[in-house]
């Protein structure tokens, strides 16, 4: 596994260069990203986050398997990350968002490069995405819900954008993970008078 580049590292603010999907160096980078993803039990990781300014990301295969995070039982917020780590990840080379819905969701995001901090970010609920596999196959798919959010977050890294840049203006700002429970309202709390 590789070391994670933290906020302040210039590589996180660079626009990443296109990668050759079938090059041996891209395969090596993908293996390094996957190993790092597993060590950190993360949902997504981009090459710039390990100091490599190339357009390669790895993401848990949530968006191909789930129409929405709401289809999980129990809901995503209650699922242990260990269960997610059993889902095979996707390696996406030169990924891009090619379109999105007019419906937006607000949700909490965090980032390995911005440790211990969370922020409320508004993103399109559904996105049309395009990427190339390590075998050179072009993939186009519509993804929704939490998978769409993770994909957008990782693609942002390739553009030098951090979730901090997308915090909701009317939200609480950055919240330390130890204080997050004060901001998240459970469904039970919403239902009580």
């Amino acid at each position: 596994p590789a070391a994670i580049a933290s906020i302040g590292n210039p590589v996180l603010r660079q626009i990443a260069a296109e990668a050759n999907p079938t090059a041996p160096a891209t395969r090596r980078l993908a293996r390094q990203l996957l190993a790092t993803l597993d060590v950190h039990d993360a949902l997504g990781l981009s090459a710039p986050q390990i100091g490599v300014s190339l357009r390669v990301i790895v993401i848990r295969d949530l968006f191909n398997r789930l129409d929405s995070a709401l289809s999980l039982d129990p809901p995503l917020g209650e699922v242990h990350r260990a269960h997610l780590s059993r889902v095979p990840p996707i390696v996406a080379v030169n990924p891009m968002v090619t379109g999105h819905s007019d419906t937006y969701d607000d949700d909490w995001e965090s980032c390995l490069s911005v440790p211990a901090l969370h922020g409320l970010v508004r993103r399109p609920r559904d996105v049309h995405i395009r990427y190339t596999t390590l075998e050179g196959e072009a993939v186009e798919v519509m993804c929704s819900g939490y998978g769409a959010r993770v994909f957008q977050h990782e693609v942002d890294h390739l553009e030098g954008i951090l979730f901090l840049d997308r915090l909701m203006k009317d939200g609480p700002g950055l919240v330390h993970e130890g204080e997050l429970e004060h901001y998240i309202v459970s469904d039970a709390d919403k239902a009580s008078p």
Side-chain angles (χ1 to χ4, degrees), residues 80-165:
H80 297 287
R81 286 186 183 265
H83 295 136
L84 293 176
S85 68
R86 294 187 193 123
V87 178
I90 289 172
V91 176
V93 182
N94 303 321
M96 65 178 69
V97 174
T98 58
H100 62 80
S101 66
D102 292 331
T103 306
Y104 290 78
D105 288 328
D106 304 339
D107 207 344
W108 292 93
E109 293 190 18
S110 61
C111 182
L112 292 175
S113 295
V114 186
L117 296 176
H118 299 254
L120 203 54
V121 177
R122 177 169 290 149
R123 293 195 187 267
R125 179 179 298 165
D126 309 297
V127 292
H128 189 265
I129 61 173
R130 181 184 309 152
Y131 64 90
T132 306
T133 67
L134 292 172
E135 291 73 34
E137 177 190 350
V139 176
E140 290 192 43
V141 66
M142 186 70 142
C143 60
S144 301
Y146 204 75
R149 175 171 297 277
V150 174
F151 192 89
Q152 291 172 82
H153 178 109
E154 297 309 329
V155 169
D156 274 354
H157 277 297
L158 305 180
E159 299 298 328
I161 298 168
L162 299 173
F163 83 93
L164 306 172
D165 304 321

Side-chain angles (χ1 to χ4, degrees), residues 27-51:
R27 280 193 183 281
R28 285 191 298 276
L29 175 60
R31 282 194 300 272
Q32 194 173 29
L33 283 165
L34 291 168
T36 307
L37 184 78
D38 287 341
V39 164
H40 291 281
D41 198 19
L43 297 179
L45 189 66
S46 68
Q49 288 182 274
I50 63 168

